[in-house]
Amino acid sequence: FQYLKRFDQGHNLDRFCYEALSVEGSPAECLQLFLLHCGVVDPSWAELRNFTWFLNVQLRDCEASVFCNPDFVGDTLNGF
């Protein structure tokens, strides 16, 4: 949710990292963003769960990868 919220607001996500245990927005706002970005017109709860699980795994791996660290790669992957 933190990534999607900032993405919708046009923020640069290159240096953003998930803040564990922090609460942002309301449950309704969270659900609205998931529905907007999941890519399915009328998703089931299972499809929403799979979307959020997959997005979470990908973003966690991205944050952990040295190749996605802007301090390591410099500006060679700007916006990646």
Side-chain angles (χ1 to χ4, degrees), residues 21-47:
L21 303 177
S22 67
V23 176
E24 294 184 14
S26 67
E29 184 183 10
C30 181
L31 181 58
Q32 184 179 19
L33 276 178
F34 290 159
L35 288 169
L36 181 67
H37 290 281
C38 79
V40 177
V41 176
D42 187 17
S44 67
W45 285 111
E47 289 168 324

